[in-house]
Amino acid sequence: MKCQRCNKSAIIYQKYSNSHLCKSHFIEDVERKIKRDIRKFKMVEKGDRIAVALSGGKDSIALLYILHKIFHNRPDIELMAITIDEGIQGYREHTLSHAIDLTNELGIPHTIRSFQDAFGITLDELTKQKENAACTLCGVLRKNLLNKTARELGADKLATGHNLDDEAQTILMNFMRGDVDRIKRMIPGIRQPGLVMRIKPLRSIPEKEVALYGIVNGLPVSIDECPYAGEALRNEIREIINNYEVRHPGTKYSLLGGFDTICHELQPLGSSIVTCEKCGEPSSEKLCKTCRLLGKDFKKK
Ligand SMILES: [Zn+2]
Ligand SMILES: [Zn+2]
């Protein structure tokens, strides 16, 4: 098949837009959507210091690469990367080395923090002690440490590599649970006390296209999967949405677009955020989730 914008051969067929695209027009399409969203949601503003959550997986690798490509000529925009080493043996070492290689290559300052140093325990050890699913523990602790580190680095924004598939899944899960608080926290551009503002520049890019973008740009695309199985509900929702997308191309964009429409009608979050009594991080209850999970024996380091 030929690219529909030029005569070169196509490397992708986007069923949702009925387009065949060659390598350079595919790259152009991905970057156009990202720049559009950055502008539309004011994700990056003049003078911003942007911390990028760089796990070293394909999404965050592509995110850092693209943000550098877009902003490296802007002296007022500063990029930095943060990697959290959760302590997952046999998995984290590989993604960590991809993260280090890319930041070296692009000349971006890189901060690496570990669960071991921050909480005195690795994820592997913690899962042996706790009933909670590994991904719940990991998610809570990672968010806490990312936010804390970004704040300490003086970042104005914290960019994460969530793609269209991630966002569509989270939206559907939150709707199913009627979790209004979480729905409100997903509103782009929302400010919450003590929390560095989150931005998701890849929210309009399907997961497969993020992977393809990485491959055609020669970025390390890790084939390793985290040994922990993921959230059970999310895994089912992913399958439902993917099946639906095959029969009804554009479903993922519809979920995202529907959410953005509803956002306009939502009242902003009340001042439900307080400071955790133990660690001082922002929390919706007296003790933050991190401190509740780590329990009373946990000593702040
Ligand atoms: Zn083309
Ligand atoms: Zn706490």
Side-chain angles (χ1 to χ4, degrees), residues 143 170-187 231 233 259 262 266 269 284 289:
K143 271 185 201 150
T170 307
I171 289 164
L172 193 54
M173 281 165 72
N174 288 338
F175 281 164
M176 283 173 72
R177 293 166 169 156
D179 196 333
V180 180
D181 255 19
R182 273 179 202 246
I183 290 169
K184 286 182 179 177
R185 273 185 229 134
M186 282 186 78
I187 299 175
E231 291 169 79
L233 177 61
F259 168 76
I262 287 165
L266 285 174
L269 274 172
S284 50
K289 268 192 198 153

Side-chain angles (χ1 to χ4, degrees), residues 144 275-283 286-292 298:
N144 174 295
T275 302
C276 171
E277 279 182 351
K278 199 164 179 181
C279 73
E281 287 296 301
S283 170
K286 272 200 215 163
L287 278 182
C288 75
K289 268 192 198 153
T290 300
C291 290
R292 275 181 276 149
F298 166 63

Side-chain angles (χ1 to χ4, degrees), residues 36-290:
R36 176 202 64 196
D37 281 1
I38 288 176
R39 259 196 309 272
K40 183 173 168 192
F41 298 107
K42 299 188 175 71
M43 290 183 192
V44 178
E45 294 162 294
K46 213 174 178 334
D48 267 351
R49 292 164 65 92
I50 313 276
V52 178
L54 181 68
S55 71
K58 68 174 190 328
D59 300 300
S60 63
I61 288 276
L63 174 65
L64 185 66
Y65 175 86
I66 293 170
L67 290 180
H68 176 261
K69 188 171 178 184
I70 297 174
F71 294 109
H72 74 282
N73 280 329
R74 284 273 304 268
D76 63 315
I77 305 292
E78 201 180 327
L79 286 181
M80 53 191 117
I82 302 172
T83 301
I84 305 297
D85 181 356
E86 303 91 352
I88 305 174
Q89 234 197 344
Y91 166 67
R92 184 40 91 204
E93 298 89 333
H94 303 117
T95 45
L96 191 58
S97 74
H98 290 155
I100 292 169
D101 290 348
L102 186 67
T103 49
N104 280 340
E105 197 183 309
L106 301 178
I108 290 172
H110 189 195
T111 304
I112 302 170
R113 302 285 307 273
S114 70
F115 279 10
Q116 178 67 55
D117 291 341
F119 307 118
I121 191 163
T122 66
L123 183 66
D124 287 340
E125 290 162 359
L126 194 63
T127 52
K128 285 180 203 141
Q129 295 177 12
K130 296 274 170 185
E131 299 278 300
N132 310 66
C135 300
T136 308
L137 294 167
C138 185
V140 170
L141 268 56
R142 184 162 20 85
K143 271 185 201 150
N144 174 295
L145 192 51
L146 269 174
N147 182 61
K148 201 170 164 212
T149 310
R151 207 181 52 224
E152 285 166 4
L153 290 169
D156 301 293
K157 309 276 167 65
L158 176 61
T160 60
H162 293 99
N163 58 47
L164 175 63
D165 294 53
D166 298 325
E167 292 300 276
Q169 289 154 21
T170 307
I171 289 164
L172 193 54
M173 281 165 72
N174 288 338
F175 281 164
M176 283 173 72
R177 293 166 169 156
D179 196 333
V180 180
D181 255 19
R182 273 179 202 246
I183 290 169
K184 286 182 179 177
R185 273 185 229 134
M186 282 186 78
I187 299 175
I190 191 156
R191 287 179 194 275
Q192 302 172 80
L195 288 173
V196 178
M197 188 197 279
R198 297 286 185 109
I199 58 170
K200 298 170 181 172
L202 306 184
R203 75 197 293 270
S204 292
I205 313 299
E207 180 168 15
K208 275 185 189 159
E209 294 189 25
V210 176
L212 183 60
Y213 182 91
I215 291 167
V216 298
N217 282 292
L219 301 173
V221 176
S222 179
I223 47 156
D224 299 344
E225 291 209 19
C226 177
Y228 296 109
E231 291 169 79
L233 177 61
R234 180 178 293 273
N235 292 341
E236 282 181 44
I237 297 268
R238 175 186 300 118
E239 213 177 308
I240 291 168
I241 296 177
N242 283 343
N243 289 336
Y244 212 82
E245 177 78 32
V246 171
R247 293 195 301 275
H248 308 278
T251 293
K252 291 170 190 175
Y253 282 117
S254 300
L255 275 164
L256 189 68
F259 168 76
D260 286 345
T261 305
I262 287 165
C263 281
H264 286 290
E265 306 296 324
L266 285 174
Q267 299 292 324
L269 274 172
S271 52
S272 55
I273 303 238
V274 294
T275 302
C276 171
E277 279 182 351
K278 199 164 179 181
C279 73
E281 287 296 301
S283 170
S284 50
E285 293 177 46
K286 272 200 215 163
L287 278 182
C288 75
K289 268 192 198 153
T290 300

